Amino acid sequence: MNGSSPSLADQPTTLSPPITLSRDVAEALQSHRPVVALESTIITHGMPFPQNLEMARQVEADCRAGNAEPATIALLDGEILVGMSAEQLERLANAPAPMKLSRADLGFALAMGRSGGTTVSATMICAALAGIEVFATGGIGGVHRDGQDSLDISADLDELARTAVTVVCAGAKAILDLPRTLEYLETRGVPVLGYQTDHLPAFWSRESPWRLPMRADTPAQIAAVMLARQRLGLGGGVLVTNPIPADDEIPYETMAILVEEALQDAKRQRVEGKAVTPFLLSRLLTLSEGQSLTANIALVRNNVRLGAAIACALAEKKGSTP
Ligand code: PSU
Ligand code: MN
């Protein structure tokens, strides 16, 4: 190419994050209105059809009712969508072999034109690229039981350590080693806040025996923690753990028996890697005869409502009208 005029391929490439914002999300972000990111592995790998699609639509409505714009994040044919149309949601929920996308998979899926659901880690990455600070989900990944031997530790935990997004969840399922998950988060500098509780919620149950280091009682307090961390330049996320509503709770002991059974099944069938969590979720659904799904939907809705309230409190503190 020396001496010749540069061809189109030699032109400098303007790098911008390869994400597509829906019109509603773009407008909300531009006018500094509250936005809440929502993940999609829960749609592709966490719940069966058609409940997955109904849940996805329901939480978007809940978010709007809480005066925040929902931004459901997923990949369709290699395009990272931040905010999805009804038609796109339906395509995702029906996708034949969707990928389960964590940090490690995002670049591959983008390059190869794949479709899939984003886990907590990948959703945090895309939310941060879009400038969304609050994200609501059901449960996060964590240190698996026997994780000290298998090294099966969810990429969600390291993502919380490095990406500045606040994640609202209902704690973690007892398929995980809860105390080791808390230890790992502490080591990596991730604040874990109990929302109106002193104990780590255990997904279907409001409480586990493990105490949390910090507690917040209002969305405004959580927004204040986020802003304080920004002023300190700390980077990294905040994990808010929000207990399932009392009416929807399943006692810890009831689920513990089913969890043991599901774990034994996974061991017998030698399930490994990223297949472990979806396998356990689907076994538990069968073993609980659908009871776990009703509770799961109730807690996701509860988390989205809190996420919306935090996003509103944050917008208010930043001095814009929510
Ligand atoms: N836990 C749940 N429901 C879920 C997940 C976890 O109770 O749907 C999903 C989330 O998307 C989470 C992912 O980010 O599983 C974690 O997968 P892994 O354990 O392979 O990191
Ligand atoms: Mn894993």
Side-chain angles (χ1 to χ4, degrees), residues 84-305:
M84 298 172 72
S85 69
E87 183 263 335
Q88 288 169 330
L89 260 190
E90 205 165 319
R91 264 178 65 204
L92 182 76
N94 284 296
M99 287 183 77
K100 176 184 164 193
L101 303 162
S102 292
R103 168 176 279 270
D105 316 284
L106 262 188
F108 177 90
L110 197 67
M112 302 291 184
R114 303 289 290 270
S115 301
T118 48
T119 63
V120 169
S121 71
T123 306
M124 287 180 76
I125 294 169
C126 301
L129 286 174
I132 301 170
E133 296 177 86
V134 182
F135 160 27
T137 182
I140 58 155
V143 179
H144 277 261
R145 305 248 205 120
D146 298 325
Q148 68 275 28
D149 294 323
S150 66
L151 281 186
D152 189 349
I153 301 172
S154 174
D156 293 352
L157 302 188
D158 270 17
E159 205 58 56
L160 281 160
R162 67 199 288 181
T163 301
V165 171
T166 290
V167 179
V168 183
C169 71
K173 288 194 165 123
I175 56 173
L176 302 172
D177 185 323
L178 300 182
R180 280 197 175 91
T181 299
L182 286 178
E183 287 291 353
Y184 192 86
L185 287 167
E186 186 188 57
T187 300
R188 301 289 279 116
V190 178
V192 182
L193 303 185
Y195 182 66
Q196 298 178 347
T197 181
D198 294 313
H199 290 87
L200 177 68
F203 203 76
W204 301 288
S205 332
R206 287 180 62 78
E207 266 194 15
S208 75
W210 294 284
R211 282 189 77 85
L212 289 174
M214 292 166 236
R215 171 185 175 127
D217 288 294
T218 62
Q221 285 177 346
I222 296 168
V225 171
M226 292 169 68
L227 290 172
R229 287 176 52 82
Q230 275 174 23
R231 290 176 62 205
L232 290 165
L234 293 176
V238 173
L239 186 63
V240 176
T241 63
N242 183 29
I244 183 172
D247 287 348
D248 302 297
E249 182 178 34
I250 306 176
Y252 192 80
E253 305 72 38
T254 309
M255 288 310 295
I257 298 164
L258 306 184
V259 165
E260 286 306 326
E261 204 172 328
L263 286 167
Q264 290 299 324
D265 291 343
K267 212 177 229 170
R268 262 197 301 272
Q269 298 185 34
R270 297 187 207 286
V271 183
E272 281 172 349
K274 60 203 286 169
V276 171
T277 298
F279 175 90
L280 293 171
L281 298 184
S282 122
R283 275 306 287 149
L284 282 166
L285 176 70
T286 310
L287 291 170
S288 72
E289 292 167 349
Q291 212 196 335
S292 67
L293 184 60
T294 315
N296 201 340
I297 292 168
L299 67 84
V300 179
R301 296 187 62 186
N302 192 45
N303 294 342
V304 171
R305 285 190 290 262

